[in-house]
Amino acid sequence: MKQKTVFLCGDCGYESPKWYGKCPSCGAWNTMSEFKEKPVSAARGTNTFQRGESRPTLLKDIDTGDESRFHSGIGELDRVLGGGAVHGSFVLVGGEPGIGKSTLLLQMCQEMCKNARVLYVSGEESLKQIKIRAARLHISSPELYILAETDMEQIINETELLEPDILIVDSIQTVYKRDLTAAPGGTTQIKECAMSLMQYAKNRNVTIFIVGHVNKEGTLAGPKILEHMVDCVLYFEGESAGPFRCLRAAKNRYGSTNEIGVFEMSDHGLLEVQNPSAAMLAGHPQGASGNCIACVMEGSRPLLAEVQALAAKTQFGVPRRTAAGVDYNRMVLLLAILEKRCGLFLSSSDVYVNVVGGMRLDEPAVDLPMVLAIASSFRDKPLPEGVMSFGEVGLTGELRAVSNPGQRINEAYRLGFHTCIMPMQDVDEDLLQKMNIVRAKTVGDAIRAVL
Ligand SMILES: Nc1ncnc2c1ncn2[C@@H]1O[C@H](COP(=O)(O)OP(=O)(O)O)[C@@H](O)[C@H]1O
Ligand SMILES: [Mg+2]
């Protein structure tokens, strides 16, 4: 059969029979390169589910066995997975290089080895390097198998011999299939290798974890092509310089995608952060202008974090705005609202917003604390001690209700806050006893209440 030539975009994985200077899908220039694909029947031959299984079956007759899960011994990881890794599931762990993916997966082996046979395949480190890392992490499982290999065929062969219950491939960018001409790490290789692993996971009921590095733009190299085929996508994020790491599920076929896991990187590996709010608030400056404590919901848990802002006079030209940990466009929108609805003339000020601890707060409830922090910096007046807030801001400057006010207030109370600035929404009577609750209709009212 004739080999088919295709052109693939190195950034987004867009596939086309024709070459384009600019990728029609993601708009990147000069990213399309040529690949020779194997004839379809041969290439897909290994990719079909076991023949004979693919017959229509009545829903009621499908046997699922038990939806049993492997527990990693790391509570925060199990939480994000939805209570452990489901047998036969295929999990992708993404994150920037150096964030701690290998560390997390190796630490997970320690506990998993006790009830299952685990094979850890590394295409990045030698056996010796892994041993040194394991010693540093105090991992001493006698039952853990390690393989340093990048050839996919070899990995599958060894896996078939060993028959592990859990297979970890670190990382998908380093493994390759010999019969493809494309280079390892390229879209075709990643796609085909992941496909082979997925077929293996589904046919043999093996739980597979693969590591995928994320590039600077935040997309997995050969990006969306992996997300749709796996059962679960976990992203490990945080600032490499800071100690905190946050694990989020971007997709989960076996659990909620709202839960997050919080970790701290130490010399001996990743430690679970049991009380993230307290950790995020450590070192919170007293009596300084330009900061406000926010309470956001991360899945089922309320989390307190410090939002800092600095508004300084622009030296020349266009004012600068930067946002770390909050959405940039949201910040710009809030600045416009402050200017238009509250008369804070920020158009000649540079504004910098940062969330302490490297956490990313994407919930709308962070709007009000962000506005208060900016207003506090602009007026150079600190918020009173013990004040925290949450609430969404609308375009007319009105404050809008957010979910779970009770849980947020309780968390703030637990950490010693006594005043809460929030939108006009109902809260339980008993909360009014322990907290001084200030309900504001508009951004202007909220600012007047504390500044
Ligand atoms: N010898 C060491 N001592 C202390 N911390 C280390 C050591 N080696 C690595 N680390 C920490 O582990 C991180 C690397 O984690 P790793 O799991 O290899 O990342 P990834 O697999 O995501 O690229 C480093 O950024 C560093 O913080
Ligand atoms: Mg690694």
Side-chain angles (χ1 to χ4, degrees):
M1 246 190 265
K2 198 170 155 282
Q3 272 202 335
K4 196 176 132 207
T5 305
V6 294
F7 295 88
L8 288 169
C9 169
D11 275 6
C12 70
Y14 178 78
E15 189 177 314
S16 136
K18 241 174 78 181
W19 186 85
Y20 292 98
K22 183 183 174 190
C23 170
S25 169
C26 69
W29 286 93
N30 272 332
T31 51
M32 304 282 286
S33 43
E34 180 179 344
F35 291 101
K36 296 244 181 298
E37 274 204 342
K38 300 208 67 182
V40 174
S41 61
R44 297 281 172 262
T46 49
N47 287 341
T48 39
F49 284 95
Q50 272 176 1
R51 278 166 210 286
E53 255 186 27
S54 55
R55 304 227 25 109
T57 311
L58 285 172
L59 182 63
K60 69 181 173 64
D61 293 339
I62 301 173
D63 178 24
T64 53
D66 290 338
E67 195 211 66
S68 35
R69 294 176 186 255
F70 290 115
H71 296 285
S72 64
I74 304 173
E76 297 286 300
L77 174 61
D78 284 346
R79 171 206 293 276
V80 180
L81 284 168
V86 171
H87 290 192
S89 62
F90 194 42
V91 182
L92 168 67
V93 181
E96 284 180 19
I99 204 78
K101 301 177 294 296
S102 308
T103 309
L104 179 70
L105 292 177
L106 202 58
Q107 279 183 251
M108 172 186 90
C109 294
Q110 168 86 339
E111 182 69 26
M112 284 191 164
C113 283
K114 293 180 187 160
N115 314 310
R117 183 175 288 190
V118 184
L119 173 61
Y120 180 96
V121 180
S122 178
E124 305 199 332
E125 289 162 303
S126 66
L127 292 178
K128 213 165 142 189
Q129 282 175 309
I130 298 168
K131 175 89 185 185
I132 294 170
R133 184 200 289 263
R136 178 166 61 85
L137 304 176
H138 302 297
I139 293 167
S140 52
S141 317
E143 310 286 340
L144 176 61
Y145 290 90
I146 310 282
L147 175 69
E149 182 58 71
T150 51
D151 184 343
M152 201 62 223
E153 215 167 292
Q154 199 62 27
I155 294 171
I156 296 278
N157 285 346
E158 292 299 332
T159 313
E160 275 175 346
L161 284 176
L162 188 70
E163 296 188 332
D165 304 303
I166 298 168
L167 171 67
I168 297 160
V169 179
D170 185 0
S171 64
I172 193 72
Q173 273 98 355
T174 52
V175 295
Y176 69 98
K177 280 185 131 180
R178 247 181 290 165
D179 49 355
L180 296 176
T181 46
T187 323
T188 316
Q189 284 284 7
I190 290 181
K191 206 163 149 182
E192 288 295 326
C193 290
M195 194 59 116
S196 302
L197 287 168
M198 188 189 68
Q199 298 304 333
Y200 188 82
K202 299 298 164 202
N203 290 339
R204 308 292 178 90
N205 202 32
V206 176
T207 305
I208 300 189
F209 287 85
I210 55 175
V211 169
H213 291 293
V214 169
N215 56 18
K216 279 274 174 294
E217 289 78 42
T219 48
L220 227 53
K224 299 290 166 196
I225 46 170
L226 288 182
E227 284 197 356
H228 76 268
M229 66 170 87
V230 302
D231 296 318
C232 191
V233 181
L234 308 183
Y235 281 110
F236 210 21
E237 47 188 48
E239 284 170 24
S240 305
F244 295 111
R245 303 282 186 273
C246 176
L247 188 69
R248 277 175 207 278
K251 163 179 175 180
N252 193 348
R253 288 188 179 142
Y254 306 107
S256 157
T257 51
N258 287 327
E259 297 296 339
I260 63 162
V262 184
F263 296 90
E264 190 178 346
M265 181 60 95
S266 76
D267 284 354
H268 301 296
L270 291 159
L271 307 173
E272 293 177 60
V273 178
Q274 306 289 355
N275 190 348
S277 294
M280 291 299 148
L281 297 187
H284 164 53
Q286 308 283 332
S289 68
N291 72 71
C292 180
I293 305 299
C295 189
V296 294
M297 292 301 292
E298 289 290 355
S300 55
R301 284 193 296 189
L303 176 78
L304 293 173
E306 181 184 339
V307 180
Q308 292 193 333
L310 179 67
K313 202 172 166 331
T314 306
Q315 290 308 319
F316 44 74
V318 187
R320 279 176 63 100
R321 274 100 172 74
T322 65
V326 290
D327 184 57
Y328 175 81
N329 292 323
R330 193 78 202 162
M331 177 193 77
V332 174
L333 183 91
L334 293 173
L335 291 176
I337 292 171
L338 277 174
E339 176 129 12
K340 180 95 181 166
R341 310 280 174 205
C342 312
L344 257 60
F345 294 104
L346 289 151
S347 48
S348 54
S349 296
D350 295 340
V351 178
Y352 310 92
V353 173
N354 178 41
V355 176
V356 179
M359 195 61 112
R360 219 191 136 70
L361 309 180
D362 281 325
E363 214 208 337
V366 75
D367 287 356
L368 181 57
M370 198 183 340
V371 161
L372 292 177
I374 294 168
S376 156
S377 176
F378 185 73
R379 297 204 172 148
D380 201 15
K381 205 173 155 199
L383 262 65
E385 288 305 309
V387 170
M388 52 73 63
S389 100
F390 56 82
E392 182 177 349
V393 174
L395 291 184
T396 66
E398 85 277 18
L399 294 184
R400 310 189 69 102
V402 296
S403 63
N404 306 80
Q407 265 182 286
R408 298 178 204 250
I409 294 169
N410 273 320
E411 176 77 354
Y413 177 73
R414 193 174 69 81
L415 282 138
F417 289 87
H418 55 67
T419 305
C420 170
I421 316 293
M422 59 176 282
M424 300 296 259
Q425 65 184 115
D426 291 335
V427 290
D428 291 343
E429 274 302 313
D430 58 322
L431 294 174
L432 295 169
Q433 309 289 323
K434 49 186 182 186
M435 264 284 200
N436 171 22
I437 293 177
V438 180
R439 277 175 279 201
K441 255 206 182 92
T442 64
V443 173
D445 291 349
I447 295 175
R448 273 186 293 277
V450 283
L451 288 172

